[in-house]
mmCIF file of all heavy atoms in Angstrom:
data_model
loop_
_atom_site.group_PDB
_atom_site.id
_atom_site.type_symbol
_atom_site.label_atom_id
_atom_site.label_comp_id
_atom_site.label_asym_id
_atom_site.label_seq_id
_atom_site.Cartn_x
_atom_site.Cartn_y
_atom_site.Cartn_z
ATOM 1 N N GLY C 390 86.154 98.181 101.421
ATOM 2 C CA GLY C 390 86.584 97.028 100.647
ATOM 3 C C GLY C 390 85.801 95.763 100.932
ATOM 4 O O GLY C 390 85.560 94.962 100.025
ATOM 5 N N LYS C 391 85.409 95.580 102.177
ATOM 6 C CA LYS C 391 84.652 94.376 102.542
ATOM 7 C C LYS C 391 83.302 94.343 101.825
ATOM 8 O O LYS C 391 82.874 93.304 101.306
ATOM 9 C CB LYS C 391 84.451 94.300 104.048
ATOM 10 C CG LYS C 391 83.782 93.016 104.520
ATOM 11 C CD LYS C 391 83.674 92.986 106.034
ATOM 12 C CE LYS C 391 83.043 91.667 106.482
ATOM 13 N NZ LYS C 391 81.732 91.404 105.856
ATOM 14 N N GLU C 392 82.625 95.488 101.794
ATOM 15 C CA GLU C 392 81.343 95.562 101.098
ATOM 16 C C GLU C 392 81.531 95.293 99.603
ATOM 17 O O GLU C 392 80.714 94.600 98.981
ATOM 18 C CB GLU C 392 80.703 96.938 101.304
ATOM 19 C CG GLU C 392 80.218 97.197 102.722
ATOM 20 C CD GLU C 392 79.567 98.554 102.871
ATOM 21 O OE1 GLU C 392 79.477 99.297 101.868
ATOM 22 O OE2 GLU C 392 79.153 98.897 103.995
ATOM 23 N N ALA C 393 82.597 95.842 99.042
ATOM 24 C CA ALA C 393 82.868 95.633 97.617
ATOM 25 C C ALA C 393 83.089 94.157 97.320
ATOM 26 O O ALA C 393 82.555 93.611 96.345
ATOM 27 C CB ALA C 393 84.087 96.445 97.186
ATOM 28 N N LEU C 394 83.859 93.500 98.169
ATOM 29 C CA LEU C 394 84.149 92.079 97.982
ATOM 30 C C LEU C 394 82.871 91.253 98.050
ATOM 31 O O LEU C 394 82.669 90.327 97.254
ATOM 32 C CB LEU C 394 85.147 91.608 99.043
ATOM 33 C CG LEU C 394 85.637 90.165 98.925
ATOM 34 C CD1 LEU C 394 86.372 89.952 97.608
ATOM 35 C CD2 LEU C 394 86.551 89.823 100.116
ATOM 36 N N ASP C 395 81.991 91.602 98.982
ATOM 37 C CA ASP C 395 80.715 90.879 99.118
ATOM 38 C C ASP C 395 79.873 91.007 97.851
ATOM 39 O O ASP C 395 79.236 90.047 97.417
ATOM 40 C CB ASP C 395 79.936 91.398 100.321
ATOM 41 C CG ASP C 395 80.561 90.999 101.650
ATOM 42 O OD1 ASP C 395 81.380 90.060 101.649
ATOM 43 O OD2 ASP C 395 80.247 91.635 102.676
ATOM 44 N N VAL C 396 79.868 92.207 97.254
ATOM 45 C CA VAL C 396 79.077 92.418 96.037
ATOM 46 C C VAL C 396 79.655 91.606 94.878
ATOM 47 O O VAL C 396 78.916 90.969 94.123
ATOM 48 C CB VAL C 396 79.015 93.918 95.666
ATOM 49 C CG1 VAL C 396 78.304 94.101 94.322
ATOM 50 C CG2 VAL C 396 78.304 94.711 96.745
ATOM 51 N N VAL C 397 80.986 91.613 94.735
ATOM 52 C CA VAL C 397 81.622 90.872 93.647
ATOM 53 C C VAL C 397 81.361 89.373 93.787
ATOM 54 O O VAL C 397 81.135 88.673 92.786
ATOM 55 C CB VAL C 397 83.143 91.151 93.617
ATOM 56 C CG1 VAL C 397 83.850 90.217 92.623
ATOM 57 C CG2 VAL C 397 83.409 92.596 93.242
ATOM 58 N N LYS C 398 81.365 88.879 95.008
ATOM 59 C CA LYS C 398 81.159 87.448 95.244
ATOM 60 C C LYS C 398 79.694 87.034 95.165
ATOM 61 O O LYS C 398 79.388 85.842 95.104
ATOM 62 C CB LYS C 398 81.703 87.065 96.621
ATOM 63 C CG LYS C 398 83.220 87.000 96.697
ATOM 64 C CD LYS C 398 83.658 86.505 98.058
ATOM 65 C CE LYS C 398 85.149 86.260 98.123
ATOM 66 N NZ LYS C 398 85.576 85.740 99.441
ATOM 67 N N SER C 399 78.794 88.003 95.179
ATOM 68 C CA SER C 399 77.370 87.688 95.200
ATOM 69 C C SER C 399 76.961 86.870 93.978
ATOM 70 O O SER C 399 77.322 87.186 92.851
ATOM 71 C CB SER C 399 76.539 88.981 95.244
ATOM 72 O OG SER C 399 75.163 88.696 95.084
ATOM 73 N N ALA C 400 76.204 85.821 94.221
ATOM 74 C CA ALA C 400 75.716 84.989 93.122
ATOM 75 C C ALA C 400 74.558 85.646 92.394
ATOM 76 O O ALA C 400 74.178 85.246 91.302
ATOM 77 C CB ALA C 400 75.279 83.626 93.663
ATOM 78 N N GLU C 401 73.969 86.663 93.019
ATOM 79 C CA GLU C 401 72.782 87.306 92.449
ATOM 80 C C GLU C 401 73.131 88.373 91.414
ATOM 81 O O GLU C 401 72.316 88.714 90.564
ATOM 82 C CB GLU C 401 71.941 87.941 93.565
ATOM 83 C CG GLU C 401 71.439 86.934 94.599
ATOM 84 C CD GLU C 401 70.656 87.601 95.714
ATOM 85 O OE1 GLU C 401 70.541 88.843 95.687
ATOM 86 O OE2 GLU C 401 70.173 86.895 96.594
ATOM 87 N N THR C 402 74.339 88.918 91.505
ATOM 88 C CA THR C 402 74.709 90.040 90.639
ATOM 89 C C THR C 402 76.034 89.766 89.951
ATOM 90 O O THR C 402 77.017 89.417 90.601
ATOM 91 C CB THR C 402 74.842 91.337 91.465
ATOM 92 O OG1 THR C 402 73.635 91.574 92.174
ATOM 93 C CG2 THR C 402 75.146 92.512 90.557
ATOM 94 N N GLN C 403 76.072 89.933 88.652
ATOM 95 C CA GLN C 403 77.321 89.825 87.916
ATOM 96 C C GLN C 403 77.877 91.222 87.688
ATOM 97 O O GLN C 403 77.282 92.029 86.986
ATOM 98 C CB GLN C 403 77.127 89.129 86.569
ATOM 99 C CG GLN C 403 78.455 88.966 85.822
ATOM 100 C CD GLN C 403 78.282 88.386 84.448
ATOM 101 O OE1 GLN C 403 77.169 88.165 83.997
ATOM 102 N NE2 GLN C 403 79.382 88.144 83.759
ATOM 103 N N ILE C 404 79.014 91.500 88.313
ATOM 104 C CA ILE C 404 79.667 92.790 88.172
ATOM 105 C C ILE C 404 80.647 92.720 87.003
ATOM 106 O O ILE C 404 81.447 91.793 86.906
ATOM 107 C CB ILE C 404 80.406 93.185 89.469
ATOM 108 C CG1 ILE C 404 79.409 93.337 90.619
ATOM 109 C CG2 ILE C 404 81.194 94.477 89.268
ATOM 110 C CD1 ILE C 404 78.382 94.431 90.406
ATOM 111 N N HIS C 405 80.583 93.707 86.120
ATOM 112 C CA HIS C 405 81.442 93.719 84.942
ATOM 113 C C HIS C 405 82.665 94.623 85.109
ATOM 114 O O HIS C 405 83.620 94.510 84.336
ATOM 115 C CB HIS C 405 80.647 94.172 83.717
ATOM 116 C CG HIS C 405 79.488 93.270 83.403
ATOM 117 N ND1 HIS C 405 78.189 93.586 83.730
ATOM 118 C CD2 HIS C 405 79.446 92.053 82.812
ATOM 119 C CE1 HIS C 405 77.386 92.604 83.328
ATOM 120 N NE2 HIS C 405 78.120 91.677 82.777
ATOM 121 N N LEU C 406 82.627 95.533 86.095
ATOM 122 C CA LEU C 406 83.765 96.419 86.337
ATOM 123 C C LEU C 406 83.640 97.013 87.731
ATOM 124 O O LEU C 406 82.531 97.264 88.206
ATOM 125 C CB LEU C 406 83.825 97.538 85.294
ATOM 126 C CG LEU C 406 85.005 98.508 85.390
ATOM 127 C CD1 LEU C 406 85.537 98.856 83.992
ATOM 128 C CD2 LEU C 406 84.614 99.806 86.101
ATOM 129 N N VAL C 407 84.796 97.227 88.385
ATOM 130 C CA VAL C 407 84.825 97.814 89.725
ATOM 131 C C VAL C 407 85.632 99.109 89.693
ATOM 132 O O VAL C 407 86.755 99.138 89.167
ATOM 133 C CB VAL C 407 85.463 96.849 90.752
ATOM 134 C CG1 VAL C 407 85.530 97.501 92.129
ATOM 135 C CG2 VAL C 407 84.682 95.537 90.821
ATOM 136 N N LEU C 408 85.066 100.175 90.229
ATOM 137 C CA LEU C 408 85.776 101.429 90.482
ATOM 138 C C LEU C 408 85.964 101.517 91.987
ATOM 139 O O LEU C 408 84.984 101.563 92.734
ATOM 140 C CB LEU C 408 84.959 102.620 89.984
ATOM 141 C CG LEU C 408 84.938 102.881 88.478
ATOM 142 C CD1 LEU C 408 83.811 103.842 88.133
ATOM 143 C CD2 LEU C 408 86.273 103.454 88.021
ATOM 144 N N MET C 409 87.211 101.562 92.457
ATOM 145 C CA MET C 409 87.428 101.432 93.898
ATOM 146 C C MET C 409 88.511 102.360 94.415
ATOM 147 O O MET C 409 89.607 102.460 93.843
ATOM 148 C CB MET C 409 87.790 99.981 94.236
ATOM 149 C CG MET C 409 87.934 99.686 95.714
ATOM 150 S SD MET C 409 87.819 97.907 96.051
ATOM 151 C CE MET C 409 89.151 97.295 95.003
ATOM 152 N N ASP C 410 88.199 103.024 95.518
ATOM 153 C CA ASP C 410 89.156 103.880 96.200
ATOM 154 C C ASP C 410 90.197 103.009 96.907
ATOM 155 O O ASP C 410 89.958 101.831 97.193
ATOM 156 C CB ASP C 410 88.407 104.750 97.219
ATOM 157 C CG ASP C 410 89.293 105.798 97.854
ATOM 158 O OD1 ASP C 410 90.264 106.228 97.204
ATOM 159 O OD2 ASP C 410 89.021 106.191 99.006
ATOM 160 N N ILE C 411 91.357 103.584 97.201
ATOM 161 C CA ILE C 411 92.392 102.840 97.912
ATOM 162 C C ILE C 411 92.256 103.003 99.422
ATOM 163 O O ILE C 411 92.191 102.025 100.169
ATOM 164 C CB ILE C 411 93.795 103.290 97.459
ATOM 165 C CG1 ILE C 411 94.037 102.860 96.007
ATOM 166 C CG2 ILE C 411 94.873 102.682 98.371
ATOM 167 C CD1 ILE C 411 95.388 103.258 95.463
ATOM 168 N N MET C 412 92.198 104.241 99.898
ATOM 169 C CA MET C 412 92.164 104.498 101.335
ATOM 170 C C MET C 412 90.726 104.433 101.850
ATOM 171 O O MET C 412 89.931 105.342 101.627
ATOM 172 C CB MET C 412 92.775 105.870 101.646
ATOM 173 C CG MET C 412 94.208 106.013 101.175
ATOM 174 S SD MET C 412 95.319 104.784 101.920
ATOM 175 C CE MET C 412 95.289 105.342 103.627
ATOM 176 N N MET C 413 90.395 103.311 102.528
ATOM 177 C CA MET C 413 89.042 103.114 103.060
ATOM 178 C C MET C 413 89.113 102.379 104.393
ATOM 179 O O MET C 413 90.076 101.656 104.661
ATOM 180 C CB MET C 413 88.190 102.296 102.075
ATOM 181 C CG MET C 413 87.917 102.973 100.747
ATOM 182 S SD MET C 413 86.825 101.970 99.693
ATOM 183 C CE MET C 413 87.875 100.552 99.348
ATOM 184 N N PRO C 414 88.104 102.546 105.246
ATOM 185 C CA PRO C 414 88.070 101.845 106.527
ATOM 186 C C PRO C 414 87.713 100.361 106.352
ATOM 187 O O PRO C 414 87.292 99.945 105.275
ATOM 188 C CB PRO C 414 86.971 102.583 107.297
ATOM 189 C CG PRO C 414 86.050 103.072 106.213
ATOM 190 C CD PRO C 414 86.953 103.444 105.071
ATOM 191 N N GLU C 415 87.906 99.589 107.429
ATOM 192 C CA GLU C 415 87.596 98.155 107.504
ATOM 193 C C GLU C 415 88.490 97.322 106.591
ATOM 194 O O GLU C 415 89.203 96.446 107.050
ATOM 195 C CB GLU C 415 86.116 97.883 107.197
ATOM 196 C CG GLU C 415 85.187 98.344 108.300
ATOM 197 C CD GLU C 415 83.813 97.714 108.185
ATOM 198 O OE1 GLU C 415 83.707 96.477 108.063
ATOM 199 O OE2 GLU C 415 82.837 98.483 108.208
ATOM 200 N N MET C 416 88.431 97.555 105.301
ATOM 201 C CA MET C 416 89.311 96.881 104.348
ATOM 202 C C MET C 416 89.655 97.866 103.241
ATOM 203 O O MET C 416 88.761 98.380 102.570
ATOM 204 C CB MET C 416 88.646 95.635 103.755
ATOM 205 C CG MET C 416 89.538 94.862 102.777
ATOM 206 S SD MET C 416 88.665 93.497 101.941
ATOM 207 C CE MET C 416 88.410 92.391 103.334
ATOM 208 N N ASP C 417 90.954 98.176 103.079
ATOM 209 C CA ASP C 417 91.312 99.170 102.063
ATOM 210 C C ASP C 417 91.255 98.565 100.660
ATOM 211 O O ASP C 417 91.042 97.362 100.483
ATOM 212 C CB ASP C 417 92.681 99.783 102.356
ATOM 213 C CG ASP C 417 93.826 98.784 102.272
ATOM 214 O OD1 ASP C 417 93.742 97.841 101.466
ATOM 215 O OD2 ASP C 417 94.816 98.951 103.012
ATOM 216 N N GLY C 418 91.440 99.424 99.668
ATOM 217 C CA GLY C 418 91.299 98.997 98.292
ATOM 218 C C GLY C 418 92.337 97.984 97.854
ATOM 219 O O GLY C 418 92.056 97.120 97.019
ATOM 220 N N ILE C 419 93.554 98.063 98.396
ATOM 221 C CA ILE C 419 94.608 97.119 98.023
ATOM 222 C C ILE C 419 94.264 95.718 98.517
ATOM 223 O O ILE C 419 94.347 94.738 97.771
ATOM 224 C CB ILE C 419 95.972 97.564 98.587
ATOM 225 C CG1 ILE C 419 96.366 98.939 98.030
ATOM 226 C CG2 ILE C 419 97.033 96.517 98.264
ATOM 227 C CD1 ILE C 419 96.537 98.977 96.532
ATOM 228 N N GLU C 420 93.871 95.621 99.781
ATOM 229 C CA GLU C 420 93.511 94.307 100.336
ATOM 230 C C GLU C 420 92.299 93.736 99.606
ATOM 231 O O GLU C 420 92.248 92.547 99.289
ATOM 232 C CB GLU C 420 93.220 94.421 101.833
ATOM 233 C CG GLU C 420 92.938 93.074 102.495
ATOM 234 C CD GLU C 420 92.658 93.183 103.985
ATOM 235 O OE1 GLU C 420 92.774 94.297 104.534
ATOM 236 O OE2 GLU C 420 92.322 92.139 104.590
ATOM 237 N N ALA C 421 91.328 94.586 99.333
ATOM 238 C CA ALA C 421 90.141 94.135 98.607
ATOM 239 C C ALA C 421 90.521 93.666 97.207
ATOM 240 O O ALA C 421 89.998 92.671 96.702
ATOM 241 C CB ALA C 421 89.114 95.259 98.534
ATOM 242 N N MET C 422 91.464 94.390 96.575
ATOM 243 C CA MET C 422 91.928 94.032 95.238
ATOM 244 C C MET C 422 92.513 92.623 95.232
ATOM 245 O O MET C 422 92.227 91.810 94.338
ATOM 246 C CB MET C 422 92.992 95.050 94.816
ATOM 247 C CG MET C 422 93.666 94.829 93.477
ATOM 248 S SD MET C 422 92.600 95.227 92.100
ATOM 249 C CE MET C 422 92.113 93.594 91.620
ATOM 250 N N VAL C 423 93.340 92.325 96.223
ATOM 251 C CA VAL C 423 93.970 91.005 96.322
ATOM 252 C C VAL C 423 92.911 89.916 96.462
ATOM 253 O O VAL C 423 92.964 88.872 95.807
ATOM 254 C CB VAL C 423 94.948 90.956 97.515
ATOM 255 C CG1 VAL C 423 95.450 89.532 97.740
ATOM 256 C CG2 VAL C 423 96.123 91.899 97.278
ATOM 257 N N LYS C 424 91.924 90.152 97.311
ATOM 258 C CA LYS C 424 90.875 89.151 97.549
ATOM 259 C C LYS C 424 89.952 88.997 96.339
ATOM 260 O O LYS C 424 89.483 87.891 96.045
ATOM 261 C CB LYS C 424 90.078 89.514 98.806
ATOM 262 C CG LYS C 424 90.900 89.411 100.089
ATOM 263 C CD LYS C 424 90.067 89.643 101.318
ATOM 264 C CE LYS C 424 90.892 89.480 102.582
ATOM 265 N NZ LYS C 424 91.396 88.088 102.733
ATOM 266 N N ILE C 425 89.694 90.091 95.641
ATOM 267 C CA ILE C 425 88.875 90.002 94.430
ATOM 268 C C ILE C 425 89.574 89.143 93.392
ATOM 269 O O ILE C 425 88.951 88.314 92.720
ATOM 270 C CB ILE C 425 88.584 91.406 93.863
ATOM 271 C CG1 ILE C 425 87.546 92.124 94.737
ATOM 272 C CG2 ILE C 425 88.090 91.325 92.421
ATOM 273 C CD1 ILE C 425 87.308 93.570 94.357
ATOM 274 N N ARG C 426 90.893 89.310 93.269
ATOM 275 C CA ARG C 426 91.634 88.539 92.268
ATOM 276 C C ARG C 426 91.675 87.038 92.598
ATOM 277 O O ARG C 426 91.985 86.222 91.729
ATOM 278 C CB ARG C 426 93.064 89.077 92.137
ATOM 279 C CG ARG C 426 93.122 90.323 91.269
ATOM 280 C CD ARG C 426 92.795 90.000 89.810
ATOM 281 N NE ARG C 426 92.566 91.212 89.010
ATOM 282 C CZ ARG C 426 91.393 91.692 88.691
ATOM 283 N NH1 ARG C 426 90.296 91.061 89.090
ATOM 284 N NH2 ARG C 426 91.262 92.780 87.973
ATOM 285 N N GLU C 427 91.382 86.674 93.821
ATOM 286 C CA GLU C 427 91.324 85.259 94.186
ATOM 287 C C GLU C 427 90.086 84.579 93.609
ATOM 288 O O GLU C 427 90.047 83.346 93.494
ATOM 289 C CB GLU C 427 91.328 85.101 95.706
ATOM 290 C CG GLU C 427 92.640 85.514 96.365
ATOM 291 C CD GLU C 427 92.570 85.469 97.885
ATOM 292 O OE1 GLU C 427 91.469 85.162 98.408
ATOM 293 O OE2 GLU C 427 93.593 85.718 98.546
ATOM 294 N N CYS C 428 89.080 85.381 93.244
ATOM 295 C CA CYS C 428 87.823 84.777 92.790
ATOM 296 C C CYS C 428 87.299 85.347 91.480
ATOM 297 O O CYS C 428 86.323 84.821 90.930
ATOM 298 C CB CYS C 428 86.741 84.938 93.870
ATOM 299 S SG CYS C 428 86.277 86.657 94.218
ATOM 300 N N SER C 429 87.912 86.408 90.958
ATOM 301 C CA SER C 429 87.352 87.047 89.764
ATOM 302 C C SER C 429 88.425 87.765 88.965
ATOM 303 O O SER C 429 89.394 88.280 89.518
ATOM 304 C CB SER C 429 86.266 88.060 90.176
ATOM 305 O OG SER C 429 85.789 88.779 89.066
#
């Protein structure tokens, strides 16, 4: 999830859609989902 969040926040790349697993190490998909919604 942390890597996914970094990509979404990147100023260099505009992401139009995210496909994301829920159960993941470091940051799971639910936590990443919440943080993504704070900025996108």
Side-chain angles (χ1 to χ4, degrees):
K391 185 177 182 305
E392 291 181 1
L394 184 62
D395 289 342
V396 174
V397 171
K398 286 185 173 182
S399 172
E401 299 178 358
T402 304
Q403 182 185 4
I404 297 298
H405 299 102
L406 183 140
V407 178
L408 283 165
M409 185 161 57
D410 187 28
I411 292 180
M412 302 301 292
M413 295 183 293
E415 289 197 51
M416 182 187 292
D417 65 32
I419 299 298
E420 184 180 355
M422 177 74 258
V423 172
K424 293 185 178 296
I425 286 173
R426 280 292 168 260
E427 293 175 357
C428 64
S429 175

